[in-house]
Amino acid sequence: MYSDKLIASKNEMVSALQELIQIKSVKEEPSGESPFGLGIQNALDHILKIGDEMGFKTKNVDNYAGYIEFGEGKELLGILCHLDVVPEGEDWTHAPYGAEIVDGKMYGRGTLDNKGPAIASLYAMKALKDSGFKPNKRIRLILGTNEESGSACMAYYLKHEEKPTVAFSPDADFPVIHGEMGILVFALERDFVDSDPDGGIEILSLKGGNAPNMVPDYAEAKLLETKPIQDIVKAFNQTRGANIEYVKEGEFTYLKSHGVSAHGSTPEKGVNAISQLVCLLDLIDIQIGDQSNFIRFMASHIGMETDGKSMGVGFDDAYNHLVLNLGMIDLDQSHGKAVINIRYPITMKELKIKTSLDSTVRGSGIDITGFRGSDPLFFPPSHPLVKTLMDVYREKTGDLDAKPITIGGGTYARAIPNAVAFGALFPGAEDTMHQRDEAIVLDDLYKMSDIFALAIQRLAE
Ligand SMILES: [Zn+2]
């Protein structure tokens, strides 16, 4: 049985992870043959050396990626992990690259994301090998080095190396993520040519947001008040529960809208500061023309909605409903641009969303620009890969009611074909990825390694 072997190598697994955490593998400028810098290069070399010493076949793919392979067979089972980490940031109470163990937890950047799961996968392979297991497929631990900054590693790997027949990537949550929503980013844009000096309020600028995939928590408009609006702002705040400050400075009026930030895949959890401000401006007697048409379009087709209904894309399927986030706006008196992020249901096609958006903007003078997307990832729950991984998870955790999940975000599994995310964060475990004091509970490390070993065995026997 592989379990005894796994138990016997616990201490070795912990030491190997410590060594890997102590190599700071944050992306740096390219250096010689190292496209992402020397730190990442050293982390890759180090884990390949461990794989080598275990007796596995290893390969460094031109310092973009690497792999450690076990067994013989025509088909290839992939396990996709990454060795690069995000910068440590500040305010750690443990050394960020110290791999210190306190109360059964190892602290350090990359312990969860994603060096811990990489080491857990490697020791799962080792335990199977040591127990005499002979797989029917080759099992390849694929090690990326650039997941945190665009996954150029996997683009390179796919160009030069074999694609797995099936794969899982432990760079997200347990249990299995069998669906990831489609992602679209685009701008609504128009030049402002016509305006009518009708005595209405003049909007000099309207700005807000930092990224398409974040709910903006701040937006600001600068106005010339040709008639008083302070009472309208006050009433709006009261009746709509909004938080917009009215500030007068010399001849200018500033409307400062405060919202609540959230991730763009769950915009309903935030309060969109841009939307709030646009809805207020829609109630005000602003100067007629292209600019006001643009603002009124935004108010009537997005408003405070996050489900895309008034944009004509309020779609659902059996798993999810579409979500829309107005992430950024930048508008002056000659031009307006609003950037939108949509997550659409996993069984839908991008073309349908695009066609619906085109018909919504038709005749408004607004153009859709910078349209880019990432297709959904979808495996039916009945797919053998999903079924096997779920069975293993239920068996090992005793959580018999666990069901495969779908999410709005994108995981590393998208970087290669035929892959789903599987782990490695357990439900209810503290998620410290990308945060200060990132840490892995050692019992979780052993548990995930045990789960991966059984998963490999079932998928490759
Ligand atoms: Zn990651």
Side-chain angles (χ1 to χ4, degrees):
M1 262 308 275
Y2 74 82
S3 312
D4 304 336
K5 302 289 177 191
L6 202 57
I7 292 164
S9 61
K10 270 183 177 182
N11 291 340
E12 201 186 312
M13 191 190 321
V14 170
S15 308
L17 180 56
Q18 282 181 309
E19 288 163 20
L20 200 55
I21 296 300
Q22 285 159 358
I23 302 172
K24 178 176 176 176
S25 52
V26 173
K27 184 173 185 257
E28 292 163 18
E29 288 306 303
S31 157
E33 307 278 277
S34 317
F36 309 117
L38 282 176
I40 286 175
Q41 160 93 63
N42 290 339
L44 178 61
D45 288 342
H46 187 75
I47 195 168
L48 291 180
K49 195 177 114 232
I50 299 175
D52 219 33
E53 286 165 3
M54 288 175 172
F56 293 125
K57 178 184 166 194
T58 63
K59 181 171 181 184
N60 180 328
V61 184
D62 300 332
N63 293 330
Y64 277 85
Y67 64 76
I68 299 173
E69 194 175 290
F70 165 39
E72 304 291 330
K74 202 167 148 304
E75 291 184 25
L76 185 66
L77 165 64
I79 306 164
L80 178 63
C81 294
H82 66 91
L83 301 170
D84 57 317
V85 297
V86 292
E88 66 277 16
E90 282 162 18
D91 298 328
W92 285 65
T93 60
H94 302 270
Y97 301 99
E100 211 181 314
I101 297 173
V102 183
D103 294 336
K105 270 184 181 182
M106 189 193 299
Y107 289 85
R109 177 56 84 226
T111 45
L112 282 174
D113 185 12
N114 181 236
K115 290 172 172 173
I119 287 290
S121 304
L122 179 57
Y123 276 82
M125 287 164 61
K126 181 179 190 283
L128 287 166
K129 178 170 165 288
D130 291 350
S131 70
F133 174 65
K134 295 267 177 286
N136 272 326
K137 296 184 175 112
R138 283 167 296 134
I139 296 144
R140 183 179 286 186
L141 175 59
I142 303 172
L143 300 153
T145 60
N146 174 239
E147 188 274 339
E148 301 293 359
S149 357
S151 297
C153 50
M154 277 309 109
Y156 190 93
Y157 174 92
L158 290 175
K159 219 192 238 172
H160 299 272
E161 298 291 335
E162 185 181 346
K163 290 182 188 64
T165 325
V166 287
F168 64 85
S169 175
D171 189 32
D173 300 321
F174 280 121
V176 179
I177 300 174
H178 76 102
E180 300 178 21
M181 294 170 82
I183 303 175
L184 292 177
V185 178
F186 59 94
L188 298 175
E189 228 175 322
R190 95 169 277 182
D191 286 325
F192 304 145
V193 181
D194 291 333
S195 70
D196 185 352
D198 58 357
I201 307 276
E202 267 188 65
I203 301 177
L204 303 175
S205 69
L206 169 54
K207 291 187 200 310
N210 297 312
N213 64 353
M214 292 299 296
V215 176
D217 61 359
Y218 186 72
E220 184 177 302
K222 183 178 179 185
L223 319 169
L224 272 177
E225 224 177 320
T226 49
K227 48 191 88 172
I229 59 167
Q230 194 170 6
D231 287 346
I232 302 174
V233 179
K234 205 173 149 192
F236 181 81
N237 281 336
Q238 272 165 2
T239 56
R240 306 281 290 268
N243 180 3
I244 301 179
E245 277 177 89
Y246 171 95
V247 179
K248 189 96 185 155
E249 270 176 33
E251 59 178 325
F252 302 117
T253 300
Y254 294 87
L255 298 177
K256 303 184 175 196
S257 172
H258 300 275
V260 177
S261 189
H263 192 259
S265 61
T266 51
E268 69 284 356
K269 293 186 180 163
V271 177
N272 192 310
I274 298 173
S275 291
Q276 195 171 251
L277 192 47
V278 164
C279 289
L280 169 64
L281 293 173
D282 190 43
L283 300 175
I284 290 175
D285 182 16
I286 51 181
Q287 198 173 82
I288 295 169
D290 293 341
Q291 190 202 46
S292 65
N293 289 341
F294 185 82
I295 290 169
R296 299 209 191 281
F297 179 93
M298 303 294 294
S300 60
H301 288 87
I302 298 178
M304 296 305 293
E305 282 179 10
T306 56
D307 60 6
K309 282 221 167 65
S310 304
M311 274 298 280
V313 293
F315 300 119
D316 291 297
D317 70 2
Y319 302 99
N320 312 92
H321 59 86
L322 180 145
V323 291
L324 178 148
N325 178 50
L326 171 53
M328 299 193 278
I329 198 161
D330 189 356
L331 170 154
D332 57 23
Q333 289 188 297
S334 60
H335 187 82
K337 181 179 179 180
V339 182
I340 290 168
N341 186 197
I342 282 179
R343 314 277 164 148
Y344 60 92
I346 51 183
T347 59
M348 286 187 72
K349 295 265 182 287
E350 181 184 287
L351 184 66
K352 172 145 178 149
I353 318 287
K354 178 76 165 62
T355 310
S356 307
L357 290 169
D358 283 341
S359 96
T360 302
V361 300
R362 195 166 300 137
S364 69
I366 294 172
D367 292 322
I368 293 178
T369 62
F371 193 88
R372 58 183 199 275
S374 168
D375 290 339
L377 178 151
F378 176 56
F379 287 79
S382 59
H383 189 283
L385 175 64
V386 178
K387 257 183 90 17
T388 306
L389 293 175
M390 280 309 302
D391 286 346
V392 167
Y393 179 81
R394 289 189 195 106
E395 214 172 299
K396 283 289 177 188
T397 60
D399 181 2
L400 302 180
D401 296 329
K403 296 235 162 23
I405 55 175
T406 66
I407 59 168
T411 75
Y412 201 29
R414 280 184 199 233
I416 57 169
N418 310 321
V420 292
F422 180 54
L425 197 69
F426 288 97
E430 193 187 357
D431 181 2
T432 48
M433 297 188 206
H434 296 213
Q435 296 169 40
R436 61 186 273 273
D437 287 334
E438 181 178 346
I440 192 162
V441 174
L442 293 180
D443 280 339
D444 286 353
L445 181 73
Y446 310 140
K447 202 158 89 184
M448 69 181 71
S449 191
D450 186 26
I451 290 174
F452 296 154
L454 187 59
I456 294 168
Q457 190 176 22
R458 294 271 169 84
L459 290 167
E461 66 192 355

